[in-house]
Amino acid sequence: MVRIANALGFLILSAALLILSLISYVSMRKETSIFWAPSFSSSGAPRIMLHAGFRSQFAMNFLDPSFIPLTSSLGEELQQKKPSRWRFNRTAFALQRKEIFRYVDVPSNFSLVKSSVRLGQLMHFDYSSHKYVFSVSGSFRSLLPDSSPVEKKHYNVCAVVGNGGILTGSSCGPRIDGSDFVFRCNFAPTELFHRDVGRKTNLSTFNPSILEKYYNNLLTIQDRNNFFLSLKKLDDAILWIPAFFFHTSATVTRTLVDFFVEHKGQLKVQLAWPGNIMQHIKRFWKTKHLSPKRLSTGILMYTLASAMCDQVHLYGFWPFGWDPNTGKELPYHYYDRKGTKFTTKWRESHELPSEFKLLYKMHEQGLAKLSLARCA
């Protein structure tokens, strides 16, 4: 009886695996346009090849009936030898900006200012229980700007640079640097990658956890020197520090505050400390049927950019582990070490494929230009 049961279990498992493989194969036969490497036959016509290993992972983890038409459109666009015929829809963009302003007053919510907080005021955190608080100290208040850094500021074409591995080998650096204002995410390095991501930085976000992850909480002189030199590269840029997202950032924020007070006058970087801006931004994106546990930094920067810029161009927004242009595997970040495997840890908090789907539809509608192909 035991042998029969074991044999039966094996047959059921084999059948299940066979069914999953068939589903994956049939799905990709219908839509073979998202992860392909374009090559050409003797007649010159493009021949589509799927990247091995893509079918099962994408079909099982990300395949959504509403995503299929999008991937078809994307594949057709990337197959074209000519650049995408993206056209800016000024009217639609203006309407979207007006809609965003119904939920978020970007200039006012961009940063706390000295006049908006008082000494000893208790700040709450957007993503933590209301029981957690941060007491505004004199040191913290001294670092706040007198007025919003973006008040009455307006730009023509802005680039929002995500950190996706798709930027590797993209040669998009010159195009990014040609923008009037460049947003970057999470203090991402540019020096060794400038050919693909550019050098220009007008604003970079800085999650306090970066201090823990890359600068050892400033525990040694070397750590402090490294952090100081990294900040020097951002002279005159805005460092946008979302200190009030999580209560777990409170201790690191205090370390950060002490460092900036100590080096006041030695750094030209402009500090911006948003208050509880996320609750407003989340309400807007919820109207677009996007309500993940946490919005990504990239879509947060798009929200700010849409209020400050006449056009927004997006780079590095591709949340998948394969290059849509070549089919080759990609790291999660463009700056990850060579050989680093694509991570899916973001699934714990973000819904990146859903965000991407929405951004690509916005691209098709002329609201934002989403760059996925090589720039040169």
Side-chain angles (χ1 to χ4, degrees):
M1 289 295 292
V2 173
R3 290 182 180 179
I4 294 173
N6 287 341
L8 185 60
F10 178 76
L11 286 172
I12 292 172
L13 178 61
S14 299
L17 290 172
L18 179 60
I19 291 169
L20 283 173
S21 299
L22 286 171
I23 290 172
S24 174
Y25 177 75
V26 170
S27 298
M28 294 305 106
R29 289 281 294 178
K30 289 179 179 178
E31 293 297 333
T32 56
S33 54
I34 185 166
F35 290 119
W36 44 265
S39 56
F40 296 87
S41 63
S42 56
S43 64
R47 183 171 68 250
I48 296 173
M49 299 171 63
L50 277 175
H51 180 272
F54 151 71
R55 301 174 204 152
S56 59
Q57 181 169 346
F58 189 81
M60 293 175 69
N61 296 327
F62 299 122
L63 203 56
D64 179 329
S66 63
F67 195 73
I68 293 294
L70 165 72
T71 62
S72 178
S73 174
L74 173 60
E76 290 172 10
E77 176 178 320
L78 293 177
Q79 274 183 285
Q80 295 173 358
K81 291 183 182 180
K82 296 179 181 179
S84 169
R85 295 178 182 177
W86 183 81
R87 290 183 181 178
F88 179 51
N89 188 332
R90 191 175 301 276
T91 302
F93 183 76
L95 287 172
Q96 186 191 62
R97 175 190 285 164
K98 188 175 180 181
E99 191 176 353
I100 287 173
F101 268 111
R102 287 194 202 121
Y103 294 87
V104 195
D105 182 346
V106 171
S108 298
N109 292 132
F110 184 85
S111 176
L112 298 171
V113 295
K114 285 187 175 73
S115 61
S116 67
V117 297
R118 66 183 186 280
L119 192 63
Q121 180 175 335
L122 299 181
M123 301 292 298
H124 294 277
F125 299 88
D126 281 324
Y127 290 111
S128 296
S129 167
H130 204 64
K131 70 181 180 181
Y132 295 107
V133 293
F134 181 94
S135 179
V136 174
S137 65
S139 294
F140 176 78
R141 191 171 181 276
S142 73
L143 296 173
L144 298 179
D146 293 320
S147 61
S148 172
V150 297
E151 190 175 359
K152 298 180 181 177
K153 297 287 177 70
H154 203 78
Y155 305 92
N156 182 19
V157 177
C158 295
V160 177
V161 186
N163 298 333
I166 193 172
L167 281 170
T168 304
S170 66
S171 299
C172 286
R175 190 177 295 179
I176 290 170
D177 284 345
S179 306
D180 298 301
F181 194 96
V182 178
F183 295 80
R184 296 190 187 272
C185 301
N186 297 329
F187 214 48
T190 59
E191 196 167 327
L192 299 177
F193 314 95
H194 62 88
R195 177 181 172 83
D196 297 326
V197 306
R199 286 190 171 97
K200 184 175 181 177
T201 302
N202 299 104
L203 180 151
S204 178
T205 67
F206 186 91
N207 190 311
S209 64
I210 294 170
L211 210 62
E212 271 185 291
K213 189 172 182 181
Y214 297 106
Y215 297 97
N216 191 32
N217 275 330
L218 307 182
L219 290 175
T220 70
I221 292 174
Q222 187 62 57
D223 296 324
R224 298 172 76 82
N225 287 341
N226 290 341
F227 186 50
F228 181 85
L229 292 174
S230 296
L231 290 168
K232 287 292 286 183
K233 295 171 187 174
L234 288 181
D235 275 358
D236 298 319
I238 298 170
L239 193 66
W240 198 78
I241 309 170
F244 303 110
F245 282 7
F246 300 97
H247 72 279
T248 50
S249 298
T251 301
V252 182
T253 297
R254 292 187 186 98
T255 301
L256 199 58
V257 167
D258 290 343
F259 180 88
F260 283 124
V261 168
E262 180 186 342
H263 294 87
K264 208 168 185 178
Q266 299 174 9
L267 295 166
K268 294 181 182 178
V269 65
Q270 302 177 65
L271 302 180
W273 306 81
N276 300 119
I277 190 174
M278 279 307 301
Q279 57 186 293
H280 306 297
I281 292 177
K282 281 162 59 180
R283 288 191 193 111
F284 166 72
W285 289 106
K286 194 171 183 179
T287 67
K288 306 301 176 187
H289 309 292
L290 183 65
S291 53
K293 186 176 178 181
R294 277 171 51 201
L295 290 169
S296 71
T297 302
I299 207 159
L300 174 56
M301 288 300 100
Y302 171 79
T303 312
L304 300 183
S306 65
M308 297 166 52
C309 314
D310 289 331
Q311 281 190 41
V312 181
H313 296 185
L314 305 173
Y315 300 85
F317 285 72
W318 177 256
F320 305 107
W322 291 271
D323 190 324
N325 303 285
T326 66
K328 293 181 180 179
E329 290 186 5
L330 291 173
Y332 184 53
H333 300 119
Y334 68 79
Y335 50 81
D336 287 340
R337 288 182 183 177
K338 192 173 182 180
T340 301
K341 295 296 183 181
F342 185 84
T343 179
T344 55
K345 287 183 179 178
W346 47 262
R347 288 189 217 167
E348 298 170 6
S349 305
H350 301 302
E351 293 178 10
L352 299 186
S354 297
E355 286 190 8
F356 174 80
K357 179 172 70 174
L358 180 56
L359 290 173
Y360 189 76
K361 286 182 178 178
M362 286 163 52
H363 167 87
E364 290 190 309
Q365 294 164 358
L367 292 168
K369 185 175 182 181
L370 182 61
S371 296
L372 295 173
R374 299 289 181 262
C375 290

